[in-house]
Amino acid sequence: AGATMDNQLLFDLFRKTIKAAEILGVDADFAKQLAATQARLAPMQIGKHSQLQEWMWDLDRPDDKHRHVSHLYGLYPSNQISPYKTPELFDAARTSLLYRGDPATGWSMGWKVNLWARFLDGNHAYKLITDQLRLVDPAMPMSVT
């Protein structure tokens, strides 16, 4: 129950399984069980720094520049967070991403590009793409952030 991403994943799994059962006209009792379980999942929460909490407890720090953004799964690739249906969670998710910063490596850079696009901020997404494609000067010492 502690990790926001875990609950977001389960929410999607339950929702899609319930919808499939409905469309196929099967497993109505199982779908009812899933709906009851889904209703008991811990909700996404906004923390004391206006961020989307990564954990059930408000442990996040604005100075945490860790590259992973798993707790933003509800925004992308899921659609549980939306500027239209859940504007408060949308703003909190944006705050979380701002706190994490732009520097990233590998997969997390791709995720951040997609998250900024989902935030309807194509300019920021484009900036990250150009940052990622920037040539490295071989005369400069490499550093990992």
Side-chain angles (χ1 to χ4, degrees):
T4 297
M5 182 187 189
D6 292 351
N7 291 322
Q8 293 167 338
L9 287 166
L10 288 171
F11 184 89
D12 276 355
L13 174 68
F14 293 164
R15 180 182 61 190
K16 291 174 184 189
T17 304
I18 292 165
K19 186 67 173 172
E22 177 186 307
I23 290 169
L24 296 172
V26 298
D27 298 320
D29 290 338
F30 181 59
K32 268 177 79 171
Q33 282 182 298
L34 288 179
T37 303
Q38 182 182 32
R40 294 191 345 249
L41 290 174
M44 289 181 270
Q45 302 177 94
I46 299 171
K48 64 185 170 213
H49 303 292
S50 301
Q51 85 287 5
L52 182 67
Q53 286 183 202
E54 185 174 359
W55 308 99
M56 181 178 286
W57 307 275
D58 195 359
L59 304 173
D60 302 307
R61 299 182 335 266
D63 62 344
D64 182 359
K65 302 296 183 196
H66 196 279
R67 70 190 171 279
H68 81 76
V69 289
S70 59
H71 60 301
L72 302 182
Y73 167 88
L75 174 72
Y76 175 84
S78 185
N79 61 356
Q80 297 170 40
I81 299 173
S82 153
Y84 311 109
K85 292 183 181 178
T86 57
E88 296 85 10
L89 290 174
F90 187 78
D91 289 341
R94 180 187 295 114
T95 298
S96 290
L97 192 57
L98 285 168
Y99 286 153
R100 292 294 164 101
D102 287 345
T105 58
W107 64 266
S108 61
M109 181 64 86
W111 280 100
K112 288 181 178 184
V113 168
N114 292 326
L115 287 164
W116 282 114
R118 200 50 87 87
F119 283 126
L120 310 175
D121 191 339
N123 291 333
H124 203 138
Y126 178 73
K127 177 200 176 292
L128 292 184
I129 291 169
T130 59
D131 287 353
Q132 193 173 23
L133 298 175
R134 182 184 54 216
L135 292 175
V136 175
D137 182 350
M140 297 293 292
M142 290 193 57
S143 66
V144 178
T145 56

mmCIF file of all heavy atoms in Angstrom, residues 47-86:
data_model
loop_
_atom_site.group_PDB
_atom_site.id
_atom_site.type_symbol
_atom_site.label_atom_id
_atom_site.label_comp_id
_atom_site.label_asym_id
_atom_site.label_seq_id
_atom_site.Cartn_x
_atom_site.Cartn_y
_atom_site.Cartn_z
ATOM 1 N N GLY A 47 1.257 16.168 -1.335
ATOM 2 C CA GLY A 47 2.051 16.341 -0.129
ATOM 3 C C GLY A 47 2.247 17.790 0.281
ATOM 4 O O GLY A 47 1.767 18.724 -0.361
ATOM 5 N N LYS A 48 2.994 17.955 1.347
ATOM 6 C CA LYS A 48 3.202 19.272 1.951
ATOM 7 C C LYS A 48 3.987 20.232 1.060
ATOM 8 O O LYS A 48 3.962 21.442 1.284
ATOM 9 C CB LYS A 48 3.896 19.126 3.310
ATOM 10 C CG LYS A 48 5.286 18.555 3.243
ATOM 11 C CD LYS A 48 5.863 18.333 4.635
ATOM 12 C CE LYS A 48 7.148 17.523 4.528
ATOM 13 N NZ LYS A 48 7.332 16.658 5.660
ATOM 14 N N HIS A 49 4.672 19.725 0.048
ATOM 15 C CA HIS A 49 5.407 20.580 -0.888
ATOM 16 C C HIS A 49 4.629 20.753 -2.199
ATOM 17 O O HIS A 49 5.207 21.094 -3.226
ATOM 18 C CB HIS A 49 6.789 19.996 -1.167
ATOM 19 C CG HIS A 49 7.607 19.784 0.061
ATOM 20 N ND1 HIS A 49 8.092 20.831 0.825
ATOM 21 C CD2 HIS A 49 8.007 18.654 0.688
ATOM 22 C CE1 HIS A 49 8.765 20.348 1.853
ATOM 23 N NE2 HIS A 49 8.730 19.036 1.793
ATOM 24 N N SER A 50 3.332 20.465 -2.167
ATOM 25 C CA SER A 50 2.425 20.559 -3.325
ATOM 26 C C SER A 50 2.749 19.541 -4.409
ATOM 27 O O SER A 50 2.337 19.689 -5.554
ATOM 28 C CB SER A 50 2.434 21.976 -3.927
ATOM 29 O OG SER A 50 2.032 22.916 -2.963
ATOM 30 N N GLN A 51 3.466 18.491 -4.058
ATOM 31 C CA GLN A 51 3.870 17.447 -4.997
ATOM 32 C C GLN A 51 2.917 16.260 -4.924
ATOM 33 O O GLN A 51 2.211 16.099 -3.936
ATOM 34 C CB GLN A 51 5.302 16.983 -4.676
ATOM 35 C CG GLN A 51 5.431 15.907 -3.608
ATOM 36 C CD GLN A 51 5.175 16.342 -2.168
ATOM 37 O OE1 GLN A 51 4.798 17.464 -1.880
ATOM 38 N NE2 GLN A 51 5.366 15.416 -1.228
ATOM 39 N N LEU A 52 2.914 15.468 -5.990
ATOM 40 C CA LEU A 52 2.216 14.191 -5.937
ATOM 41 C C LEU A 52 3.085 13.264 -5.106
ATOM 42 O O LEU A 52 4.260 13.051 -5.423
ATOM 43 C CB LEU A 52 2.024 13.608 -7.344
ATOM 44 C CG LEU A 52 1.261 12.284 -7.391
ATOM 45 C CD1 LEU A 52 -0.194 12.492 -6.979
ATOM 46 C CD2 LEU A 52 1.330 11.672 -8.772
ATOM 47 N N GLN A 53 2.532 12.768 -4.023
ATOM 48 C CA GLN A 53 3.333 11.925 -3.136
ATOM 49 C C GLN A 53 3.763 10.651 -3.842
ATOM 50 O O GLN A 53 2.958 9.988 -4.501
ATOM 51 C CB GLN A 53 2.544 11.573 -1.868
ATOM 52 C CG GLN A 53 2.426 12.711 -0.920
ATOM 53 C CD GLN A 53 1.712 12.339 0.361
ATOM 54 O OE1 GLN A 53 1.209 13.217 1.011
ATOM 55 N NE2 GLN A 53 1.643 11.074 0.722
ATOM 56 N N GLU A 54 5.021 10.296 -3.668
ATOM 57 C CA GLU A 54 5.546 9.049 -4.221
ATOM 58 C C GLU A 54 5.145 7.865 -3.350
ATOM 59 O O GLU A 54 5.029 6.741 -3.825
ATOM 60 C CB GLU A 54 7.068 9.140 -4.324
ATOM 61 C CG GLU A 54 7.695 7.948 -4.990
ATOM 62 C CD GLU A 54 9.182 8.118 -5.225
ATOM 63 O OE1 GLU A 54 9.743 9.173 -4.892
ATOM 64 O OE2 GLU A 54 9.785 7.163 -5.751
ATOM 65 N N TRP A 55 4.921 8.130 -2.087
ATOM 66 C CA TRP A 55 4.598 7.090 -1.110
ATOM 67 C C TRP A 55 3.299 7.452 -0.407
ATOM 68 O O TRP A 55 2.838 8.589 -0.468
ATOM 69 C CB TRP A 55 5.723 6.977 -0.078
ATOM 70 C CG TRP A 55 7.061 6.826 -0.716
ATOM 71 C CD1 TRP A 55 7.985 7.811 -0.921
ATOM 72 C CD2 TRP A 55 7.605 5.633 -1.285
ATOM 73 N NE1 TRP A 55 9.075 7.300 -1.569
ATOM 74 C CE2 TRP A 55 8.878 5.972 -1.801
ATOM 75 C CE3 TRP A 55 7.165 4.321 -1.400
ATOM 76 C CZ2 TRP A 55 9.698 5.040 -2.428
ATOM 77 C CZ3 TRP A 55 7.982 3.400 -2.012
ATOM 78 C CH2 TRP A 55 9.231 3.757 -2.519
ATOM 79 N N MET A 56 2.746 6.504 0.311
ATOM 80 C CA MET A 56 1.545 6.769 1.095
ATOM 81 C C MET A 56 1.835 7.860 2.135
ATOM 82 O O MET A 56 0.984 8.684 2.451
ATOM 83 C CB MET A 56 1.056 5.497 1.780
ATOM 84 C CG MET A 56 -0.204 5.702 2.597
ATOM 85 S SD MET A 56 -0.782 4.189 3.350
ATOM 86 C CE MET A 56 -1.460 3.369 1.924
ATOM 87 N N TRP A 57 3.045 7.862 2.643
ATOM 88 C CA TRP A 57 3.461 8.845 3.629
ATOM 89 C C TRP A 57 4.162 9.995 2.918
ATOM 90 O O TRP A 57 4.822 9.811 1.902
ATOM 91 C CB TRP A 57 4.387 8.185 4.653
ATOM 92 C CG TRP A 57 3.731 6.969 5.233
ATOM 93 C CD1 TRP A 57 2.853 6.926 6.287
ATOM 94 C CD2 TRP A 57 3.848 5.623 4.757
ATOM 95 N NE1 TRP A 57 2.424 5.637 6.495
ATOM 96 C CE2 TRP A 57 3.026 4.806 5.557
ATOM 97 C CE3 TRP A 57 4.561 5.018 3.740
ATOM 98 C CZ2 TRP A 57 2.903 3.447 5.382
ATOM 99 C CZ3 TRP A 57 4.442 3.658 3.559
ATOM 100 C CH2 TRP A 57 3.621 2.888 4.373
ATOM 101 N N ASP A 58 4.078 11.163 3.468
ATOM 102 C CA ASP A 58 4.623 12.366 2.833
ATOM 103 C C ASP A 58 6.125 12.463 3.115
ATOM 104 O O ASP A 58 6.564 13.218 3.980
ATOM 105 C CB ASP A 58 3.874 13.598 3.353
ATOM 106 C CG ASP A 58 4.102 14.824 2.510
ATOM 107 O OD1 ASP A 58 4.853 14.751 1.519
ATOM 108 O OD2 ASP A 58 3.530 15.876 2.844
ATOM 109 N N LEU A 59 6.908 11.705 2.339
ATOM 110 C CA LEU A 59 8.352 11.611 2.551
ATOM 111 C C LEU A 59 9.167 12.370 1.505
ATOM 112 O O LEU A 59 10.387 12.455 1.622
ATOM 113 C CB LEU A 59 8.789 10.132 2.520
ATOM 114 C CG LEU A 59 8.105 9.195 3.496
ATOM 115 C CD1 LEU A 59 8.510 7.751 3.225
ATOM 116 C CD2 LEU A 59 8.425 9.585 4.929
ATOM 117 N N ASP A 60 8.527 12.901 0.480
ATOM 118 C CA ASP A 60 9.238 13.530 -0.629
ATOM 119 C C ASP A 60 9.926 14.817 -0.180
ATOM 120 O O ASP A 60 9.470 15.497 0.740
ATOM 121 C CB ASP A 60 8.261 13.857 -1.769
ATOM 122 C CG ASP A 60 7.528 12.635 -2.268
ATOM 123 O OD1 ASP A 60 8.189 11.647 -2.609
ATOM 124 O OD2 ASP A 60 6.289 12.680 -2.320
ATOM 125 N N ARG A 61 11.020 15.135 -0.880
ATOM 126 C CA ARG A 61 11.771 16.370 -0.622
ATOM 127 C C ARG A 61 11.941 17.126 -1.939
ATOM 128 O O ARG A 61 12.292 16.521 -2.951
ATOM 129 C CB ARG A 61 13.163 16.061 -0.063
ATOM 130 C CG ARG A 61 13.171 15.324 1.243
ATOM 131 C CD ARG A 61 14.610 15.098 1.755
ATOM 132 N NE ARG A 61 15.650 15.088 0.744
ATOM 133 C CZ ARG A 61 16.122 13.978 0.135
ATOM 134 N NH1 ARG A 61 15.628 12.803 0.431
ATOM 135 N NH2 ARG A 61 17.091 14.064 -0.755
ATOM 136 N N PRO A 62 11.749 18.433 -1.928
ATOM 137 C CA PRO A 62 11.922 19.203 -3.166
ATOM 138 C C PRO A 62 13.342 19.125 -3.727
ATOM 139 O O PRO A 62 13.536 19.301 -4.925
ATOM 140 C CB PRO A 62 11.592 20.638 -2.750
ATOM 141 C CG PRO A 62 10.779 20.519 -1.518
ATOM 142 C CD PRO A 62 11.237 19.257 -0.833
ATOM 143 N N ASP A 63 14.324 18.833 -2.896
ATOM 144 C CA ASP A 63 15.711 18.768 -3.373
ATOM 145 C C ASP A 63 16.104 17.367 -3.854
ATOM 146 O O ASP A 63 17.257 17.137 -4.202
ATOM 147 C CB ASP A 63 16.682 19.242 -2.290
ATOM 148 C CG ASP A 63 16.644 18.372 -1.037
ATOM 149 O OD1 ASP A 63 15.681 17.592 -0.853
ATOM 150 O OD2 ASP A 63 17.587 18.481 -0.226
ATOM 151 N N ASP A 64 15.149 16.447 -3.921
ATOM 152 C CA ASP A 64 15.433 15.092 -4.416
ATOM 153 C C ASP A 64 15.464 15.138 -5.939
ATOM 154 O O ASP A 64 14.435 15.277 -6.588
ATOM 155 C CB ASP A 64 14.364 14.119 -3.944
ATOM 156 C CG ASP A 64 14.608 12.684 -4.388
ATOM 157 O OD1 ASP A 64 15.611 12.425 -5.090
ATOM 158 O OD2 ASP A 64 13.789 11.821 -4.040
ATOM 159 N N LYS A 65 16.643 15.025 -6.503
ATOM 160 C CA LYS A 65 16.812 15.105 -7.956
ATOM 161 C C LYS A 65 16.956 13.715 -8.579
ATOM 162 O O LYS A 65 17.499 13.574 -9.665
ATOM 163 C CB LYS A 65 18.042 15.960 -8.306
ATOM 164 C CG LYS A 65 17.985 17.365 -7.762
ATOM 165 C CD LYS A 65 16.846 18.142 -8.363
ATOM 166 C CE LYS A 65 16.844 19.570 -7.854
ATOM 167 N NZ LYS A 65 15.601 20.243 -8.094
ATOM 168 N N HIS A 66 16.459 12.695 -7.889
ATOM 169 C CA HIS A 66 16.569 11.336 -8.418
ATOM 170 C C HIS A 66 15.891 11.260 -9.774
ATOM 171 O O HIS A 66 14.860 11.875 -10.005
ATOM 172 C CB HIS A 66 15.957 10.331 -7.453
ATOM 173 C CG HIS A 66 16.369 8.930 -7.732
ATOM 174 N ND1 HIS A 66 15.770 8.176 -8.696
ATOM 175 C CD2 HIS A 66 17.341 8.166 -7.205
ATOM 176 C CE1 HIS A 66 16.338 6.979 -8.745
ATOM 177 N NE2 HIS A 66 17.297 6.957 -7.841
ATOM 178 N N ARG A 67 16.478 10.478 -10.678
ATOM 179 C CA ARG A 67 16.011 10.459 -12.063
ATOM 180 C C ARG A 67 14.676 9.731 -12.260
ATOM 181 O O ARG A 67 14.000 9.957 -13.241
ATOM 182 C CB ARG A 67 17.077 9.832 -12.957
ATOM 183 C CG ARG A 67 17.244 8.343 -12.742
ATOM 184 C CD ARG A 67 18.466 7.774 -13.445
ATOM 185 N NE ARG A 67 18.688 6.411 -13.030
ATOM 186 C CZ ARG A 67 19.294 6.050 -11.918
ATOM 187 N NH1 ARG A 67 19.754 6.954 -11.096
ATOM 188 N NH2 ARG A 67 19.443 4.787 -11.610
ATOM 189 N N HIS A 68 14.297 8.840 -11.357
ATOM 190 C CA HIS A 68 13.063 8.090 -11.629
ATOM 191 C C HIS A 68 11.823 8.903 -11.280
ATOM 192 O O HIS A 68 11.843 9.765 -10.409
ATOM 193 C CB HIS A 68 13.058 6.733 -10.918
ATOM 194 C CG HIS A 68 12.661 6.808 -9.481
ATOM 195 N ND1 HIS A 68 11.362 6.969 -9.089
ATOM 196 C CD2 HIS A 68 13.388 6.734 -8.360
ATOM 197 C CE1 HIS A 68 11.303 6.998 -7.769
ATOM 198 N NE2 HIS A 68 12.519 6.868 -7.311
ATOM 199 N N VAL A 69 10.777 8.631 -12.011
ATOM 200 C CA VAL A 69 9.510 9.350 -11.856
ATOM 201 C C VAL A 69 8.349 8.353 -11.860
ATOM 202 O O VAL A 69 7.284 8.635 -12.401
ATOM 203 C CB VAL A 69 9.352 10.416 -12.970
ATOM 204 C CG1 VAL A 69 10.306 11.584 -12.758
ATOM 205 C CG2 VAL A 69 9.571 9.807 -14.350
ATOM 206 N N SER A 70 8.571 7.211 -11.248
ATOM 207 C CA SER A 70 7.586 6.129 -11.318
ATOM 208 C C SER A 70 6.223 6.530 -10.774
ATOM 209 O O SER A 70 5.196 6.059 -11.272
ATOM 210 C CB SER A 70 8.098 4.884 -10.593
ATOM 211 O OG SER A 70 8.376 5.177 -9.242
ATOM 212 N N HIS A 71 6.183 7.406 -9.779
ATOM 213 C CA HIS A 71 4.897 7.798 -9.193
ATOM 214 C C HIS A 71 4.061 8.660 -10.134
ATOM 215 O O HIS A 71 2.901 8.949 -9.839
ATOM 216 C CB HIS A 71 5.117 8.496 -7.850
ATOM 217 C CG HIS A 71 5.936 9.742 -7.907
ATOM 218 N ND1 HIS A 71 7.228 9.776 -8.388
ATOM 219 C CD2 HIS A 71 5.640 11.001 -7.538
ATOM 220 C CE1 HIS A 71 7.693 10.999 -8.298
ATOM 221 N NE2 HIS A 71 6.753 11.766 -7.800
ATOM 222 N N LEU A 72 4.632 9.022 -11.286
ATOM 223 C CA LEU A 72 3.876 9.782 -12.275
ATOM 224 C C LEU A 72 3.266 8.879 -13.349
ATOM 225 O O LEU A 72 2.716 9.364 -14.342
ATOM 226 C CB LEU A 72 4.771 10.854 -12.912
ATOM 227 C CG LEU A 72 5.391 11.845 -11.916
ATOM 228 C CD1 LEU A 72 6.218 12.889 -12.653
ATOM 229 C CD2 LEU A 72 4.329 12.493 -11.049
ATOM 230 N N TYR A 73 3.311 7.567 -13.132
ATOM 231 C CA TYR A 73 2.674 6.607 -14.052
ATOM 232 C C TYR A 73 1.194 6.968 -14.262
ATOM 233 O O TYR A 73 0.660 6.798 -15.357
ATOM 234 C CB TYR A 73 2.795 5.178 -13.502
ATOM 235 C CG TYR A 73 1.909 4.199 -14.220
ATOM 236 C CD1 TYR A 73 2.351 3.538 -15.364
ATOM 237 C CD2 TYR A 73 0.606 3.949 -13.787
ATOM 238 C CE1 TYR A 73 1.519 2.655 -16.045
ATOM 239 C CE2 TYR A 73 -0.224 3.075 -14.466
ATOM 240 C CZ TYR A 73 0.230 2.427 -15.585
ATOM 241 O OH TYR A 73 -0.595 1.574 -16.261
ATOM 242 N N GLY A 74 0.545 7.458 -13.234
ATOM 243 C CA GLY A 74 -0.874 7.815 -13.346
ATOM 244 C C GLY A 74 -1.142 8.907 -14.369
ATOM 245 O O GLY A 74 -2.244 9.020 -14.886
ATOM 246 N N LEU A 75 -0.121 9.706 -14.668
ATOM 247 C CA LEU A 75 -0.221 10.722 -15.713
ATOM 248 C C LEU A 75 0.154 10.134 -17.062
ATOM 249 O O LEU A 75 -0.528 10.353 -18.061
ATOM 250 C CB LEU A 75 0.716 11.891 -15.387
ATOM 251 C CG LEU A 75 0.817 12.967 -16.459
ATOM 252 C CD1 LEU A 75 -0.463 13.793 -16.528
ATOM 253 C CD2 LEU A 75 2.018 13.864 -16.192
ATOM 254 N N TYR A 76 1.256 9.406 -17.091
ATOM 255 C CA TYR A 76 1.733 8.758 -18.306
ATOM 256 C C TYR A 76 2.522 7.520 -17.906
ATOM 257 O O TYR A 76 3.371 7.634 -17.016
ATOM 258 C CB TYR A 76 2.631 9.693 -19.136
ATOM 259 C CG TYR A 76 3.222 8.976 -20.329
ATOM 260 C CD1 TYR A 76 2.495 8.864 -21.501
ATOM 261 C CD2 TYR A 76 4.460 8.362 -20.251
ATOM 262 C CE1 TYR A 76 3.010 8.163 -22.578
ATOM 263 C CE2 TYR A 76 4.972 7.655 -21.328
ATOM 264 C CZ TYR A 76 4.244 7.558 -22.481
ATOM 265 O OH TYR A 76 4.731 6.851 -23.535
ATOM 266 N N PRO A 77 2.221 6.388 -18.486
ATOM 267 C CA PRO A 77 1.390 6.137 -19.655
ATOM 268 C C PRO A 77 -0.096 5.951 -19.344
ATOM 269 O O PRO A 77 -0.892 5.813 -20.264
ATOM 270 C CB PRO A 77 1.983 4.848 -20.223
ATOM 271 C CG PRO A 77 2.507 4.125 -19.043
ATOM 272 C CD PRO A 77 3.004 5.209 -18.112
ATOM 273 N N SER A 78 -0.465 5.974 -18.079
ATOM 274 C CA SER A 78 -1.880 5.863 -17.742
ATOM 275 C C SER A 78 -2.579 7.197 -18.001
ATOM 276 O O SER A 78 -1.954 8.166 -18.439
ATOM 277 C CB SER A 78 -2.025 5.458 -16.270
ATOM 278 O OG SER A 78 -3.374 5.236 -15.944
ATOM 279 N N ASN A 79 -3.854 7.241 -17.719
ATOM 280 C CA ASN A 79 -4.609 8.485 -17.875
ATOM 281 C C ASN A 79 -5.467 8.765 -16.642
ATOM 282 O O ASN A 79 -6.532 9.332 -16.738
ATOM 283 C CB ASN A 79 -5.469 8.443 -19.144
ATOM 284 C CG ASN A 79 -6.482 7.325 -19.104
ATOM 285 O OD1 ASN A 79 -6.501 6.524 -18.169
ATOM 286 N ND2 ASN A 79 -7.328 7.247 -20.100
ATOM 287 N N GLN A 80 -4.939 8.372 -15.485
ATOM 288 C CA GLN A 80 -5.664 8.615 -14.233
ATOM 289 C C GLN A 80 -5.563 10.072 -13.800
ATOM 290 O O GLN A 80 -6.393 10.544 -13.025
ATOM 291 C CB GLN A 80 -5.104 7.717 -13.133
ATOM 292 C CG GLN A 80 -5.282 6.240 -13.398
ATOM 293 C CD GLN A 80 -4.510 5.398 -12.411
ATOM 294 O OE1 GLN A 80 -4.454 5.699 -11.233
ATOM 295 N NE2 GLN A 80 -3.903 4.329 -12.894
ATOM 296 N N ILE A 81 -4.532 10.760 -14.275
ATOM 297 C CA ILE A 81 -4.314 12.169 -13.944
ATOM 298 C C ILE A 81 -4.505 12.973 -15.220
ATOM 299 O O ILE A 81 -3.914 12.663 -16.246
ATOM 300 C CB ILE A 81 -2.897 12.379 -13.373
ATOM 301 C CG1 ILE A 81 -2.717 11.572 -12.085
ATOM 302 C CG2 ILE A 81 -2.639 13.858 -13.131
ATOM 303 C CD1 ILE A 81 -1.294 11.591 -11.544
ATOM 304 N N SER A 82 -5.338 13.994 -15.136
ATOM 305 C CA SER A 82 -5.694 14.780 -16.317
ATOM 306 C C SER A 82 -5.897 16.237 -15.920
ATOM 307 O O SER A 82 -6.391 16.512 -14.822
ATOM 308 C CB SER A 82 -6.992 14.209 -16.897
ATOM 309 O OG SER A 82 -7.724 15.172 -17.597
ATOM 310 N N PRO A 83 -5.552 17.173 -16.815
ATOM 311 C CA PRO A 83 -5.800 18.580 -16.488
ATOM 312 C C PRO A 83 -7.291 18.904 -16.410
ATOM 313 O O PRO A 83 -7.674 19.905 -15.810
ATOM 314 C CB PRO A 83 -5.138 19.346 -17.638
ATOM 315 C CG PRO A 83 -5.115 18.385 -18.776
ATOM 316 C CD PRO A 83 -4.956 17.021 -18.144
ATOM 317 N N TYR A 84 -8.112 18.046 -16.983
ATOM 318 C CA TYR A 84 -9.542 18.309 -17.042
ATOM 319 C C TYR A 84 -10.328 17.594 -15.948
ATOM 320 O O TYR A 84 -11.238 18.174 -15.373
ATOM 321 C CB TYR A 84 -10.084 17.901 -18.419
ATOM 322 C CG TYR A 84 -9.236 18.467 -19.530
ATOM 323 C CD1 TYR A 84 -8.425 17.653 -20.297
ATOM 324 C CD2 TYR A 84 -9.205 19.842 -19.780
ATOM 325 C CE1 TYR A 84 -7.617 18.180 -21.308
ATOM 326 C CE2 TYR A 84 -8.400 20.381 -20.779
ATOM 327 C CZ TYR A 84 -7.610 19.538 -21.534
ATOM 328 O OH TYR A 84 -6.809 20.065 -22.512
ATOM 329 N N LYS A 85 -9.957 16.345 -15.654
ATOM 330 C CA LYS A 85 -10.708 15.566 -14.662
ATOM 331 C C LYS A 85 -10.108 15.651 -13.261
ATOM 332 O O LYS A 85 -10.826 15.532 -12.278
ATOM 333 C CB LYS A 85 -10.782 14.101 -15.100
ATOM 334 C CG LYS A 85 -11.624 13.890 -16.343
ATOM 335 C CD LYS A 85 -11.719 12.427 -16.690
ATOM 336 C CE LYS A 85 -12.538 12.231 -17.955
ATOM 337 N NZ LYS A 85 -12.626 10.826 -18.350
ATOM 338 N N THR A 86 -8.785 15.821 -13.181
ATOM 339 C CA THR A 86 -8.119 15.859 -11.867
ATOM 340 C C THR A 86 -7.075 16.992 -11.855
ATOM 341 O O THR A 86 -5.874 16.735 -11.751
ATOM 342 C CB THR A 86 -7.437 14.518 -11.564
ATOM 343 O OG1 THR A 86 -6.505 14.221 -12.622
ATOM 344 C CG2 THR A 86 -8.430 13.376 -11.420
#
